[in-house]
Amino acid sequence: MKELKKIAVMTSGGDAPGMNAAVRGVVRAALNKGWEVFGIRNAYRGLVEGRESILPLDWLDVSWNFREGGTFLGSARFPEIAGDALRSKELKQRALLNLKALNITGLVVIGGDGSLTGAHELFMFLQNSRWASPELRDMELSIVAIPGSIDNDIPFTDMSIGVDTTLNTIIECIDKLRDTATSHGRVSIVEVMGRLRGYLAVMSGLATGADRIFIREERISQEELNCMLQVLKESFAHGQKAGIIIRSEGAGFSTGFLKEIIAMLLEPKREVRETVLGHLQRGGNPTAFERIMATRMGIKAVQLLEEGLPEPHMIGLTHNRLESVPLSMVLEKLATPEFKNQLSPNTRNALHLCRQLEEPPQGNTTPAIRVAVLTDGCNVSGMNIAVRAIARLAINQGLEAVGIKGGFSGLLRGPENVLRLDWSMLELKGIVRRAGTLLGVSSNGFPDAAEHAALLRQQVNKLGIKGLMVIGDSTAYQYADSVAGVLQIPVVGIPAALCCNLLGTDLVVGIDSALNDFLKGIDRAVDAANVQRKIYIIQITGDYCDCLVKLAALAGGSEVVIIDQGAGRKAFQMLVREKIQGLKRIIAAGKNSATVIFFARQPDQADDSLKEIKRGIIDSGITLDTSVITLETTLGGIVPTAFDRILAQRLAEKALAVLQKKMEQHEHAFHMVGIKGREIVATAYQDIKQNGLRECPDALVSELDQCIEYMSMPGAGCAGLGGTIAWLDTGNAEQWQGRWTCRQCGHQQDVLFNPNNLCVIYCAHEACPNYGYIRISRRL
Ligand code: F6P
């Protein structure tokens, strides 16, 4: 028999949304290499228990659950295995022998700090025991760890699995709490998770406009409490209707204590309510970012195991690129006092920004300098919170902030479109979570620059605007660039669009919200396709880049992506033929439904291209029916995600700083702010515009293509059930019978089981450790 590489995967510690997607990444990437994969139930506890808890996983076992929170493998906290005590050593020995009994030579551990420590200890125990233990002497084991913890408390990765989803769950809860607190004029204290790290508290506070945030890493002093009371008092005095205080669960003193302090000392008195979000925030369907990152990490883990590792490694995400680092380094860093007690620069900056934004303006001096902000191009989620941030920061720096309604066309029409942005007005409109842009965009296209530039200049003069910020896409940028010289004031742009290909930035406000909105539609289509046993062609309309379409496909688990690049009918026909062949293989492997993502760069050709796809499906001999649905986000209406809210405010802060500098220097060329790697940068449009539109990064596109293929196309070596089964008709719906053939040794045996339950089959052939399992009801 062919020697198979066997690997196992477990999810350990606190569950985190996205763990299932990581397991799917591992399972499918491994099956595609012709390997066999085992899932360990309940983490280290299951590993120690052995056989019953180590089950083979096949292609269809991970078809659905990657869209769900929690972990279908189960998790456990099992501190007994850690340390040097005799019992811990015995447990490690048992765990290793259980892996060895199944010839498992690769282990993927998905979990937080405790789970990573467990993985490292297991490996070290094996290394140190070889000489004394004949059973372990020749054992091979490579270990890869994937960071999974909602707290974002693991070094060497920008994000761990679960963080993005949890943040979005928290902000959804806080948005709701703000509604009720606003109705009653109350202060709402929200306790969020994060035993050792305040990341969730800080980022959710920034994304929801919280008045004060308390975290473990900052000692809570009397001064801090006074400051909170002062902020609440003044905010209410400025017209704010609700107070939101966020406390991280690890912070100095209790939520109850904070509640008492506010109830007792805040003047005038306000009712105070507390909400502990608890485990609510750990569940829920993973977001697009989560599913994509987790899938990529799962695939990368298999690649690392294939390459071979002299010591355990952890996969980390740095500026959206996956890298691996020795687990020993991760654990060393985890143990340092700096890591334990200090905020990361990113979290520190976010906390600082949050404090600036929530500090009500001091005094009543009339501001001398007026700056304006407008939104233009397409209507993008996250624009409103950027406007709020610009206005609040400007007001707090003694500037006057005005919003221009209707983009550049509004500016042309003059004073009727000018809105004074005062500090609390921005609060009342629930602006942090409002979809699209309250200021609006140029509704009938941009005014002709050559014809109207002089009038625009006059309006700017008349309105006394000394600096302008433009939040928008490439069309808004181009327009701003064409008029900046004439306006003779500094103009600074903030990227907000539905394509990732804007110049001068790696990240763009609005994409994450659009992607998650697509994902909802794709999830529904996948469900419908499954119920109706059909192929759903999901047509995405709008002006998007390839990356966005492919990210949506990967997050939604669509089998095929077809993008009509407008390169001619023949080229498209060939592409369709190739993609449909793939679809045929998937259906032959047992799937009875599928989704195809279709995007046409030239919308007027979309109908013809759709017909081509449908014809291709019929001609290929696939007998499933097809339905077409259309998804589009250009109408707006999408509540911005945590990521977009945070990005919008960070860019707004930088844009205002750049604008102020350019005002001092009287420099009038159009500049834009963006993210490059870890930095927020400002670039002169002149310097980069020659390059035209930025292409989607090649490396990302090809990685996405590979991930989609790995996740949707069962390779020739797919393992199946640990064996094959032939059914015998018993006529009894409760008791089925089949003849199972072991994949490993070819032994055949009869099995009887209830189709509603999981049935585990152990190979009865002497000395064969193989087993399989059948779970019928889920597949029907
Ligand atoms: O480690 C993640 C985490 O969610 C912490 O934020 C929280 O303190 C802890 O887990 C809760 O753990 P459990 O579910 O075991 O009570």
Side-chain angles (χ1 to χ4, degrees):
M1 278 230 109
K2 187 178 161 224
E3 186 64 31
L4 288 169
K5 185 164 175 82
K6 297 186 182 186
I7 65 166
V9 54
M10 67 157 92
T11 50
S12 170
D15 58 290
M19 281 182 159
N20 289 333
V23 172
R24 177 172 174 266
V26 171
V27 170
R28 293 197 166 178
L31 292 178
N32 261 323
K33 293 192 184 297
W35 298 359
E36 198 168 340
V37 194
F38 293 81
I40 301 168
R41 297 186 61 82
N42 306 326
Y44 291 102
R45 188 188 299 282
L47 187 56
V48 169
E49 281 163 9
R51 233 180 175 199
E52 256 115 273
S53 301
I54 308 179
L55 301 170
L57 290 174
D58 77 22
W59 194 262
L60 296 176
D61 288 318
V62 287
S63 282
W64 290 96
N65 41 35
F66 81 100
R67 306 188 300 163
E68 289 156 12
T71 156
F72 78 99
L73 285 178
S75 188
R77 301 207 190 264
F78 193 55
E80 298 90 314
I81 200 166
D84 279 336
L86 190 60
R87 165 120 177 97
S88 314
K89 286 185 179 165
E90 275 169 20
L91 293 174
K92 283 187 203 109
Q93 170 104 358
R94 263 173 43 202
L96 288 168
L97 290 178
N98 284 335
L99 289 173
K100 191 176 174 214
L102 291 166
N103 292 327
I104 291 171
T105 56
L107 176 65
V108 181
V109 176
I110 307 167
D113 54 353
S115 316
L116 305 191
T117 308
H120 186 253
E121 282 198 11
L122 199 62
F123 182 79
M124 291 315 292
F125 179 81
L126 174 62
Q127 296 303 77
N128 298 334
S129 318
R130 284 187 198 281
W131 63 273
S133 161
E135 299 140 292
L136 296 178
R137 190 153 303 152
D138 57 350
M139 182 173 174
E140 253 184 73
L141 186 65
S142 301
I143 300 182
V144 178
I146 294 180
S149 158
I150 64 161
D151 295 352
N152 217 17
D153 54 356
I154 300 170
F156 295 106
T157 187
D158 293 343
M159 292 289 261
S160 53
I161 290 177
V163 176
D164 188 60
T165 310
T166 303
L167 259 184
N168 279 292
T169 305
I170 295 175
I171 68 163
E172 196 185 332
C173 293
I174 297 178
D175 286 348
K176 288 176 179 167
L177 287 168
R178 187 182 282 282
D179 285 343
T180 163
T182 301
S183 309
H184 293 268
R186 287 175 176 157
V187 177
S188 191
I189 307 176
V190 190
E191 181 183 307
V192 302
M193 274 188 170
R195 221 168 350 127
L196 301 174
R197 302 300 271 187
Y199 180 91
L200 290 174
V202 171
M203 294 302 174
S204 60
L206 180 58
T208 54
D211 294 284
R212 211 72 196 167
I213 299 163
F214 294 103
I215 53 177
R216 189 192 69 92
E217 297 92 324
E218 282 204 331
R219 254 174 60 88
I220 303 178
S221 58
Q222 182 63 45
E223 205 181 314
E224 268 291 308
L225 292 173
N226 285 339
C227 197
M228 167 190 73
L229 292 168
Q230 193 64 15
V231 166
L232 283 173
K233 185 176 164 190
E234 285 175 16
S235 303
F236 282 123
H238 272 84
Q240 186 173 300
K241 298 282 184 217
I244 301 286
I245 306 292
I246 301 187
R247 177 185 168 271
S248 179
E249 66 174 324
F253 36 73
S254 71
T255 305
F257 176 75
L258 273 179
K259 184 179 173 185
E260 264 176 49
I261 294 273
I262 300 171
M264 247 168 20
L265 301 179
L266 181 64
E267 291 295 344
K269 294 261 173 273
R270 294 275 169 169
E271 282 186 307
V272 190
R273 294 287 186 271
E274 63 181 286
T275 308
V276 179
L277 294 184
H279 287 85
L280 177 72
Q281 66 205 294
R282 229 166 54 187
N285 286 359
T287 56
F289 173 87
E290 206 80 84
R291 296 187 204 181
I292 294 162
M293 180 182 75
T295 305
R296 289 172 67 200
M297 286 183 166
I299 296 173
K300 175 85 176 175
V302 171
Q303 285 164 351
L304 288 174
L305 289 177
E306 188 175 34
E307 284 161 20
L309 292 168
E311 61 170 310
H313 274 58
M314 186 192 86
I315 298 169
L317 186 79
T318 313
H319 312 156
N320 208 21
R321 286 191 38 201
L322 294 182
E323 281 164 4
S324 74
V325 50
L327 195 49
S328 52
M329 271 172 70
V330 178
L331 298 177
E332 257 168 47
K333 178 114 190 225
L334 261 171
T336 58
E338 300 81 62
F339 185 79
K340 277 191 185 147
N341 300 322
Q342 284 176 14
L343 288 170
S344 70
N346 190 20
T347 319
R348 177 169 304 289
N349 292 342
L351 186 61
H352 178 70
L353 177 56
C354 198
R355 298 217 158 129
Q356 280 179 285
L357 286 166
E358 306 317 327
E359 193 87 40
Q362 306 296 316
N364 269 333
T365 50
T366 323
I369 299 177
R370 177 180 260 201
V371 293
V373 52
L374 62 81
T375 53
D376 222 336
C378 73
N379 174 19
V380 167
S381 293
M383 283 177 156
N384 286 329
I385 196 166
V387 170
R388 174 188 187 263
I390 289 170
R392 282 201 162 187
L393 294 172
I395 294 167
N396 281 357
Q397 286 166 34
L399 302 168
E400 186 192 9
V402 294
I404 309 291
K405 294 190 277 177
F408 280 102
S409 333
L411 182 59
L412 188 68
R413 288 195 298 272
E416 63 187 275
N417 290 305
V418 175
L419 188 68
R420 190 158 186 260
L421 300 171
D422 69 46
W423 195 82
S424 55
M425 179 205 102
L426 294 161
E427 204 52 61
L428 296 181
K429 295 200 182 244
I431 199 167
V432 296
R433 70 158 193 266
R434 264 296 178 92
T437 162
L438 284 171
L439 289 177
V441 294
S442 295
S443 44
N444 293 315
F446 295 96
D448 185 276
E451 195 183 325
H452 294 115
L455 185 53
L456 274 174
R457 161 94 187 118
Q458 272 176 29
Q459 297 291 22
V460 163
N461 265 346
K462 198 154 82 192
L463 296 168
I465 296 170
K466 301 287 187 263
L468 176 66
M469 268 161 289
V470 175
I471 307 171
D473 60 11
S474 56
T475 59
Y477 272 21
Q478 280 154 16
Y479 193 82
D481 181 51
S482 67
V483 297
V486 185
L487 296 184
Q488 290 182 15
I489 53 167
V491 184
V492 178
I494 296 176
L498 297 174
C499 319
C500 76
N501 50 12
L502 249 74
L503 294 172
T505 188
D506 295 342
L507 300 172
V508 174
V509 175
I511 291 216
D512 190 57
S513 307
L515 194 53
N516 279 290
D517 189 58
F518 278 146
L519 191 57
K520 284 188 203 141
I522 297 173
D523 278 353
R524 282 200 289 270
V526 170
D527 279 335
N530 182 50
V531 169
Q532 299 165 11
R533 308 271 152 103
K534 270 187 172 178
I535 296 172
Y536 263 66
I537 303 172
I538 304 169
Q539 182 186 0
I540 292 185
T541 65
D543 188 15
Y544 310 111
C545 56
D546 286 8
C547 277
L548 186 69
V549 175
K550 290 182 178 183
L551 287 167
L554 182 59
S558 288
E559 278 75 10
V560 174
V561 186
I562 303 179
I563 300 182
D564 185 353
Q565 302 283 8
R569 234 6 50 209
K570 253 216 142 76
F572 187 66
Q573 278 167 352
M574 274 169 65
L575 176 74
V576 168
R577 207 166 312 135
E578 179 203 322
K579 296 285 181 178
I580 302 294
Q581 277 314 313
L583 195 59
K584 222 176 143 179
R585 264 176 51 207
I586 299 166
I587 289 163
K591 279 213 93 170
N592 47 23
S593 67
T595 53
V596 175
I597 300 277
F598 163 61
F599 176 63
R601 206 144 280 301
Q602 284 153 3
D604 54 331
Q605 288 173 17
D607 286 349
D608 289 344
S609 303
L610 261 177
K611 280 188 200 137
E612 204 78 67
I613 299 174
K614 285 192 196 164
R615 196 172 322 124
I617 293 175
I618 295 170
D619 290 352
S620 74
I622 294 173
T623 52
L624 299 180
D625 285 344
T626 52
S627 276
V628 179
I629 58 158
T630 306
L631 291 183
E632 68 136 7
T633 64
T634 40
L635 290 178
I638 307 168
V639 173
T641 56
F643 180 87
D644 277 335
R645 296 188 199 188
I646 294 165
L647 179 66
Q649 295 180 96
R650 290 179 66 201
L651 292 175
E653 181 188 27
K654 176 77 177 182
L656 183 65
V658 173
L659 190 80
Q660 282 176 292
K661 198 160 149 214
K662 301 293 167 202
M663 288 195 304
E664 278 162 31
Q665 297 168 341
H666 302 286
E667 193 187 330
H668 300 158
F670 175 48
H671 282 70
M672 77 228 43
V673 294
I675 304 262
K676 285 277 168 197
R678 246 184 237 289
E679 304 293 314
I680 307 184
V681 295
T683 327
Y685 193 69
Q686 284 290 339
D687 298 345
I688 47 173
K689 73 173 174 188
Q690 290 89 324
N691 305 332
L693 268 191
R694 192 169 75 95
E695 293 291 315
C696 297
D698 280 349
L700 180 60
V701 174
S702 59
E703 194 195 336
L704 285 174
D705 284 339
Q706 195 194 25
C707 289
I708 293 168
E709 183 166 338
Y710 260 2
M711 289 306 101
S712 59
M713 303 289 166
C718 278
L721 293 166
T724 52
I725 192 140
W727 305 114
L728 304 174
D729 188 2
T730 58
N732 179 352
E734 291 299 305
Q735 195 163 67
W736 290 26
Q737 195 180 347
R739 189 148 185 84
W740 185 75
T741 308
C742 172
R743 256 183 74 233
Q744 194 136 327
C745 67
H747 174 75
Q748 294 197 337
Q749 64 200 62
D750 288 335
V751 282
L752 261 185
F753 64 93
N754 179 337
N756 297 315
N757 298 332
L758 172 78
C759 169
V760 183
I761 309 161
Y762 296 107
C763 180
H765 188 239
E766 194 189 344
C768 176
N770 192 29
Y771 56 92
Y773 74 102
I774 312 173
R775 196 167 14 190
I776 293 299
S777 52
R778 221 165 38 114
R779 300 214 180 126
L780 287 179

